Amino acid sequence: MSRGFTLLELLVGLALMALLAGLLFGSLRLGAGTLARVDATAEALEDRRVVASFLRGRLAQAEPLNDATDTGHSVAFTGAPDRLELVTEMPPAAGGGRHRVVLDNAPGGLRLAWRPLPGDGAAHQRLLDVGPARFAYYGRHAGEADPSWHDTWTGELALPELVRLTLSGMAPLIVALPRDLASR
């Protein structure tokens, strides 16, 4: 009749306990790292969603005001693949009222700049950490029979019908612009 463990049984038991503790610690560490990555991804997606919602609202309220230029009149809307300038209503938190808004790519992400009309107020800027943006414009350029997608929209007499905004990691956001002020 034995009254205890042999040294060999004790060493085997300790080795098994150390192995199980190592596996458990590794699993916890892997789980914590995965959770941190999931949180960071969820936060980045939420930032993109908020930015997309804000931009959708600003584009949907674009105003087809006229700009007088050396070559005549055109709508106050200038679009390029990496830059968009328009006149729109800003929410009260951003000063409210009509503003000239510029969206363009900057080294740290998408830059949003706005200045109240008629341009006598202070300019504001904010960098949106959503990576680079790409714009496209759907409509009929002067002289075209049918509307199509364009990389630029400059010097036109009307707003484009649609603006497509592509942010990395998101499906493209397509927003219909107002046809005229009476349609709102």
Side-chain angles (χ1 to χ4, degrees):
M1 188 166 186
S2 171
R3 293 194 178 245
F5 296 104
T6 65
L7 181 59
L8 183 60
E9 291 171 332
L10 186 60
L11 289 175
V12 168
L14 285 174
L16 287 175
M17 294 255 310
L19 179 66
L20 288 174
L23 289 173
L24 181 61
F25 179 72
S27 297
L28 287 174
R29 192 170 173 196
L30 178 66
T34 301
L35 184 60
R37 285 189 302 277
V38 166
D39 283 347
T41 301
E43 186 175 320
L45 288 174
E46 178 64 13
D47 288 348
R48 285 181 173 88
R49 188 194 65 74
V50 168
V51 167
S53 176
F54 174 80
L55 296 177
R56 182 183 301 116
R58 303 300 53 85
L59 290 169
Q61 293 184 10
E63 296 192 17
L65 298 178
N66 286 328
D67 269 346
T69 64
D70 294 339
T71 59
H73 288 278
S74 65
V75 72
F77 184 100
T78 304
D82 60 351
R83 178 182 169 86
L84 172 61
E85 184 175 340
L86 71 150
V87 174
T88 187
E89 289 285 326
M90 290 296 278
R98 289 192 319 196
H99 286 70
R100 185 171 297 272
V101 174
V102 177
L103 294 159
D104 61 354
N105 290 318
L110 182 64
R111 182 175 47 210
L112 167 68
W114 67 98
R115 178 182 295 277
L117 289 181
D120 54 359
H124 304 280
Q125 287 196 111
R126 178 175 298 151
L127 192 64
L128 309 171
D129 186 19
V130 292
R134 179 149 176 88
F135 299 98
Y137 313 94
Y138 182 82
R140 193 179 349 260
H141 275 180
E144 289 183 340
D146 295 320
S148 61
W149 284 104
H150 302 279
D151 287 334
T152 61
W153 196 272
T154 305
E156 298 297 324
L157 298 176
L159 294 174
E161 295 175 33
L162 303 170
V163 172
R164 180 177 59 214
L165 169 62
T166 306
L167 295 170
S168 60
M170 284 185 63
L173 171 69
I174 298 176
V175 179
L177 274 64
R179 300 302 299 157
D180 58 41
L181 290 175
S183 67
R184 288 202 267 169

